[in-house]
Amino acid sequence: MKTQSSIVVKKFGGTSVGSIARIENVASRIKEDVENGQSPVVVSSAMSGETNRLIGLAGEIDSKYRGEAYDMLLASGEQVSISLLAIALEKRGLKAEPLLAYQLGIKTDSIFSKARILSVDHEKIKQIISEGKIPIVAGFQGINQTSKITTLGRGGSDTTAVAIAAAIKADSCEIYTDVPAVFSADPRLVKKAREIPTLRYDEMMEMASLGSKVLHFRCVELAAKYKIKIHLRSTFEKREGTFIVPEEEAMENPVVSAVTHEALTAVIKLFPVPKGSGFLADLFGKLSEASVVVDIITQSHNEEGQRLAFSLPMSDLELARDVISKAYGDKVSITVMEDKAKISIVGVGMRNYSGVAYRFFNVLSKNNIDIDLVTTSDIKVSAIIDKESLSDAANQLHTEFGLDAT
Ligand code: ASP
Ligand code: MG
């Protein structure tokens, strides 16, 4: 009996298509999947290093330039990889159709370099599949209303893959990368980190925004919205990796699923600041206009006055310092703390257990690690600490919450 073949979106990252040998490897793998009855829709990143190389070229002319030409330049990397992949598939006797965003109709808004996908022409993909061809789609790019090329932000090919999976209601979405799975902590920092078989969307979203670089944040957000199951796995091994699924489909919810960190963090402290929300609105309005990403914010008060502290990525520090000293430098004293790091624990199981924050603080306190700022949600606890304590904090928390590989 012939069953209808399952449509699987397969996204290959830069290292997976980083050389001709690797592109040939990907093509052989796709051929095997076709022989096993799958109907693949392929999405590819640019060859590894290519997007950086293009950014470098633009930078040699004007490192501050952003705009239409920048997106058009960056999008060119994917045109090369999808064409080479199509050639490798044709060599193996398969029919392939490489597609740029404008050919497929991947429509985005007009926020160049950070565009959001608005729609994908599912009819077109379905038609190509029904003609017995494999669509090979350029990741990371789109077109806006006036047919200008846009890009989705670094790492955005993941998001292209999930958007396509949602549009054509694919059976699953596989993200092929150079690591075998999502780990319970960064293995470079925590030797006993282990692979996580299943994660829930909420956890993966927190992890992506807390510093785990495995998946593009928007991709997980979209997957959650349309309930697209993501299978993150290695291009270089056949075994399964991590499944990212709706919460109700997970077998069990451990209290903590992962320890994540962001090493390049800074803290800015301001004192004394005017009471009331007017000042906060003004300050964070100015920072947001300058595209500074602010993370944890705290306020405290004593007899001497009101204090404000917030954390931000090191890469935005100079910009933030400029904005603040220009606007309030004569009235407020500004203290900048560099060499900070953010350490977090994430897990949907936290919702059902008390004492998680206590255990988190207890581990830090037993290791004499001071905390500058703290924030919690129902599925995470994060703290800003000194960077030199990061390794201790990560390893001890990993052990405390039973995550160590045995
Ligand atoms: N090529 C783009 C980048 O390097 C998009 C991607 O790889 O997902 O960011
Ligand atoms: Mg990536």
Side-chain angles (χ1 to χ4, degrees):
M1 193 180 74
K2 195 171 184 305
T3 51
Q4 213 197 340
S5 58
S6 56
I7 298 182
V8 183
V9 175
K10 294 169 185 286
K11 181 259 168 177
F12 295 92
T15 36
S16 308
V17 295
S19 66
I20 294 303
R22 287 184 172 181
I23 287 174
E24 300 252 28
N25 166 55
V26 165
S28 297
R29 231 186 135 140
I30 294 170
K31 181 170 189 201
E32 245 175 74
D33 292 337
V34 171
E35 285 164 356
N36 288 329
Q38 275 187 19
S39 186
V41 174
V42 177
V43 175
S44 182
S45 295
M47 294 171 79
S48 53
E50 181 59 12
T51 310
N52 286 340
R53 188 183 73 86
L54 297 166
I55 291 173
L57 291 178
E60 281 180 41
I61 302 171
D62 179 358
S63 62
K64 288 200 206 61
Y65 176 83
R66 290 293 179 278
E68 295 171 30
Y70 188 79
D71 285 48
M72 181 181 280
L73 172 72
L74 263 56
S76 69
E78 274 73 11
Q79 179 163 351
V80 174
S81 55
I82 59 167
S83 315
L84 292 172
L85 252 179
I87 295 171
L89 285 170
E90 299 262 348
K91 184 170 94 174
R92 286 163 177 75
L94 298 164
K95 282 193 225 138
E97 182 157 342
L99 294 152
L100 295 170
Y102 81 87
Q103 295 171 303
L104 184 54
I106 301 179
K107 303 249 170 68
T108 71
D109 60 21
S110 294
I111 306 177
F112 289 94
S113 297
K114 273 189 200 148
R116 278 173 167 252
I117 296 180
L118 301 175
S119 65
V120 175
D121 186 350
H122 54 97
E123 293 298 333
K124 174 98 187 194
I125 303 184
K126 291 242 163 106
Q127 189 205 325
I128 295 170
I129 296 174
S130 71
E131 291 164 4
K133 290 189 272 188
I134 302 172
I136 320 267
V137 183
F140 181 52
Q141 57 177 262
I143 49 164
N144 76 358
Q145 255 189 338
T146 56
S147 296
K148 289 188 169 138
I149 295 175
T150 55
T151 56
L152 311 179
R154 297 306 306 272
S157 300
D158 297 339
T159 301
T160 307
V162 172
I164 289 177
I168 62 174
K169 301 196 170 60
D171 296 290
S172 70
C173 181
E174 297 178 333
I175 308 264
Y176 287 86
T177 180
D178 50 0
V179 292
V182 181
F183 282 81
S184 57
D186 185 337
R188 285 167 298 186
L189 192 67
V190 178
K191 288 276 162 318
K192 291 183 177 155
R194 65 172 179 213
E195 293 176 19
I196 308 176
T198 327
L199 272 170
R200 285 124 295 254
Y201 295 130
D202 284 357
E203 291 172 326
M204 192 67 235
M205 258 189 277
E206 281 289 2
M207 289 172 71
S209 66
L210 290 171
S212 158
K213 307 273 182 310
V214 210
L215 284 175
H216 196 226
F217 176 78
R218 278 280 296 144
C219 132
V220 194
E221 201 181 49
L222 264 187
K225 186 164 167 195
Y226 295 101
K227 295 225 157 101
I228 303 294
K229 261 184 246 179
I230 298 178
H231 181 188
L232 184 130
R233 60 194 308 192
S234 166
T235 315
F236 310 110
E237 292 174 53
K238 287 276 159 74
R239 68 194 173 97
E240 293 184 337
T242 300
F243 289 88
I244 301 148
V245 301
E247 196 164 332
E248 58 275 14
E249 283 185 33
M251 297 289 281
E252 47 158 356
N253 293 327
V255 181
V256 169
S257 294
V259 173
T260 62
H261 72 279
E262 178 69 74
L264 302 171
T265 301
V267 171
I268 294 183
K269 292 188 169 175
L270 303 179
F271 177 81
V273 298
K275 272 194 179 172
S277 46
F279 173 75
L280 297 180
D282 191 62
L283 168 70
F284 291 110
K286 288 194 167 77
L287 289 172
S288 125
E289 254 166 56
S291 296
V292 170
V293 180
V294 172
D295 189 18
I296 307 177
I297 304 171
T298 60
Q299 257 200 119
S300 60
H301 183 75
N302 65 15
E303 301 84 67
E304 296 152 48
Q306 186 90 355
R307 280 175 197 281
L308 177 72
F310 62 90
S311 65
L312 71 172
M314 272 299 285
S315 54
D316 285 353
L317 181 59
E318 280 317 307
L319 201 56
R321 208 202 305 241
D322 278 1
V323 170
I324 297 169
S325 48
K326 237 183 247 144
Y328 321 102
D330 49 343
K331 298 185 247 5
V332 177
S333 92
I334 308 168
T335 314
V336 171
M337 300 158 89
E338 296 183 25
D339 294 324
K340 294 290 173 184
K342 180 160 78 167
I343 182 83
S344 311
I345 52 172
V346 179
V348 291
M350 264 181 226
R351 289 190 187 123
N352 308 318
Y353 286 87
S354 58
V356 177
Y358 157 72
R359 285 166 71 190
F360 179 90
F361 295 131
N362 202 32
V363 165
L364 297 187
S365 134
K366 273 198 295 200
N367 289 279
N368 295 318
I369 300 170
D370 289 334
I371 297 173
D372 292 293
L373 302 173
V374 175
T375 182
T376 63
S377 79
D378 59 340
I379 66 162
K380 71 136 193 256
V381 181
S382 297
I384 305 290
I385 58 175
D386 281 342
K387 194 152 91 191
E388 57 178 33
S389 305
L390 181 59
S391 169
D392 277 351
N395 280 282
Q396 300 296 333
L397 287 167
H398 200 265
T399 304
E400 168 68 26
F401 288 100
L403 297 174
D404 287 355
T406 43

